[in-house]
Amino acid sequence: MTPIMTLPKRVMIEAIETHEINVAKTLEVTVRAKKEILAALENARYAATSIKDSNSRYTMYRLAPYTVDGPRLYITGLEKFYDDMEYMDYIQDYRPTNRTPLEIFTKLFEGSDFNINYINPQIENRTISTNFYYISRLEALSKAVEMFGVEIEAF
């Protein structure tokens, strides 16, 4: 199991999530530098934040190395979805012809921890023809997002 960081409210000073359309979310957390937090960070690889108005959906962040400045500890993270899509295996040669968003995005997410939960009915029947040749899944995903003119949100 991959360790996920939990932070008690008593040590929190500030937490900022940055959201932009079709760009990886970032997480910046400032906490009191306590021994217990430093020890937990040694094994932590991810942090999760709940999505507003949801009790069961979370955004996962891959943690970057932390920094300590006196009594404060600074933790940053990059949304796991974008990180995974960038570093998973490459799309070697995929040439969809007249394919819908569901068909293309399903193929691009194949083998990942992610899947399609919703496609706007206004574009679900739109088709594109293109090619993805030796590019990262993130590059392929960005290309498909641009071609279909959609927004993507991972959770």
Side-chain angles (χ1 to χ4, degrees), residues 90-96 107 130-135:
Y90 277 68
I91 303 292
Q92 293 182 18
D93 190 7
Y94 173 46
R95 302 173 193 210
K107 177 71 174 176
T130 189
N131 66 64
F132 303 104
Y133 188 73
Y134 282 96
I135 60 175

Side-chain angles (χ1 to χ4, degrees), residues 89-155:
D89 58 325
Y90 277 68
I91 303 292
Q92 293 182 18
D93 190 7
Y94 173 46
R95 302 173 193 210
T97 303
N98 296 321
R99 298 289 182 225
T100 66
L102 180 60
E103 292 170 311
I104 290 181
F105 290 120
T106 297
K107 177 71 174 176
L108 296 179
F109 291 152
E110 197 173 86
S112 76
D113 293 334
F114 303 96
N115 56 41
I116 306 296
N117 288 327
Y118 173 79
I119 293 180
N120 186 324
Q122 293 178 333
I123 65 139
E124 68 184 352
N125 294 319
R126 188 180 303 168
T127 62
I128 63 170
S129 297
T130 189
N131 66 64
F132 303 104
Y133 188 73
Y134 282 96
I135 60 175
S136 72
R137 287 179 186 259
L138 183 58
E139 290 173 285
L141 183 62
S142 295
K143 184 176 178 180
V145 162
E146 184 176 319
M147 291 181 81
F148 282 116
V150 297
E151 296 177 13
I152 193 164
E153 180 178 11
F155 49 84

Side-chain angles (χ1 to χ4, degrees), residues 27-129:
L27 177 67
E28 298 175 5
V29 179
T30 306
V31 298
R32 292 179 185 84
K34 303 261 186 202
K35 288 181 184 178
E36 66 198 64
I37 302 302
L38 289 167
L41 272 172
E42 291 303 319
N43 294 318
R45 299 293 173 258
Y46 300 98
T49 60
S50 60
I51 294 175
K52 186 177 180 178
D53 301 327
S54 173
N55 292 327
S56 61
R57 297 186 312 172
Y58 295 86
T59 300
M60 292 286 292
Y61 293 91
R62 185 177 312 278
L63 296 176
Y66 61 87
T67 58
V68 178
D69 185 11
R72 292 181 178 216
L73 174 65
Y74 299 94
I75 304 166
T76 60
L78 179 67
E79 186 177 6
K80 183 181 184 298
F81 169 77
Y82 285 87
D83 196 53
D84 284 359
M85 289 293 140
E86 177 66 27
Y87 295 106
M88 282 185 72
D89 58 325
Y90 277 68
I91 303 292
Q92 293 182 18
D93 190 7
Y94 173 46
R95 302 173 193 210
T97 303
N98 296 321
R99 298 289 182 225
T100 66
L102 180 60
E103 292 170 311
I104 290 181
F105 290 120
T106 297
K107 177 71 174 176
L108 296 179
F109 291 152
E110 197 173 86
S112 76
D113 293 334
F114 303 96
N115 56 41
I116 306 296
N117 288 327
Y118 173 79
I119 293 180
N120 186 324
Q122 293 178 333
I123 65 139
E124 68 184 352
N125 294 319
R126 188 180 303 168
T127 62
I128 63 170
S129 297

